[in-house]
Amino acid sequence: MLVAAAVCPCPPLLVPAVAAGAAHELDVARAACTGALGVLAAARPDRLVVVGPAARSGRGPHPEGTPGSFRGFGVDLDVRLGRDTGTASGRALPPSLAVAAWLLGRTGWSAAPIEGLGVGETLEPERCAETGRDIAARSERVALLVMGDASACRTLKAPGYLDERAAPFDAEVARALGEADVAALKALDPGLADELKASGRAPWQVLAGAAEEAGLSGALLYDDAPYGVGYLVATWS
């Protein structure tokens, strides 16, 4: 049963070493992420599952201890998903889960064992929901850390250029996350999300599937688009 969830953005720029001189620009977003992880710990889960976008859905979960790296972003920084258990597979974390590993390490997460799951950005909504249901059924007290960005088309300088549909799309996602509106998340259009480069669509729909029977309440902690990309932080508890 899902007892709590945190939703965080996953740009590598959240990691100060990657952002370098611009690191302070996301200080408020980092603080919101820290607060969201505190809500997860307070729920006393017996398992934490970290879900984030990946090029394609993972071949099974990433066990605790799986390594990740930001070397692809020009930074000599390695991370690990939780503690080193000696059971990690040979696969490295996708970037979204590497950001999650950094956030968890930064806050000293020790509340529950961790596993990670990369979700293909093109995964169909119902399969996302099925994945969420499976996650929620794994343990009596499951918490989810859901990584993903909203649209990347909010300004002319955004990675996807300006698209007038981006702001309304992000506003609806922010509302749904803030109100724990499972039906609204399930109804997100994968085609539109892809056109707007919203990497969080599939992970959010995994959350929706996991929360179907949970009866959780939501809170929106952060909603901004500092680089023309929508970053959202929310908690469900």
Side-chain angles (χ1 to χ4, degrees):
M1 174 73 74
L2 185 70
V3 296
V7 177
C8 294
C10 59
L13 289 174
L14 266 183
V15 180
V18 176
H24 68 281
E25 295 176 5
L26 289 180
D27 281 347
V28 176
R30 291 186 197 98
C33 290
T34 298
L37 292 181
V39 170
L40 294 186
R44 298 184 178 180
D46 52 33
R47 179 187 299 267
L48 173 65
V49 180
V50 185
V51 178
R56 60 191 181 92
S57 293
R59 302 181 301 276
H62 296 278
E64 183 157 13
T66 301
S69 173
F70 293 96
R71 296 175 189 272
F73 301 96
V75 176
D76 186 13
L77 176 63
D78 297 319
V79 293
R80 192 175 294 279
L81 189 64
R83 59 191 178 87
D84 186 358
T85 63
T87 61
S89 68
R91 294 179 292 121
L93 297 171
S96 65
L97 298 190
V99 173
W102 179 82
L103 286 172
L104 290 163
R106 177 174 181 257
T107 58
W109 176 270
S110 60
I114 308 171
E115 66 180 62
L117 182 66
V119 180
E121 292 188 39
T122 60
L123 193 65
E124 298 88 347
E126 182 51 35
R127 289 192 62 194
C128 292
E130 288 176 2
T131 299
R133 294 182 200 112
D134 289 343
I135 289 172
R138 290 181 191 173
S139 186
E140 290 186 4
R141 300 186 63 80
V142 178
L144 268 178
L145 173 54
V146 182
M147 309 298 292
D149 300 338
S151 73
C153 303
R154 292 278 292 272
T155 66
L156 292 174
K157 294 183 178 181
Y161 198 65
L162 177 65
D163 190 314
E164 297 296 339
R165 301 171 298 173
F169 176 89
D170 288 357
E172 172 59 9
V173 172
R175 184 203 65 77
L177 291 174
E179 298 178 8
D181 189 337
V182 168
L185 291 181
K186 285 184 176 180
L188 292 175
D189 181 349
L192 177 59
D194 181 64
E195 291 174 11
L196 297 177
K197 303 184 184 302
S199 69
R201 190 275 307 172
W204 299 330
Q205 290 181 325
V206 170
L207 168 61
E212 285 175 343
E213 306 296 330
L216 303 179
S217 297
L220 187 66
L221 307 185
Y222 180 85
D223 176 6
D224 203 357
Y227 305 114
V229 181
Y231 297 150
L232 302 166
V233 180
T235 58
W236 291 19
S237 61

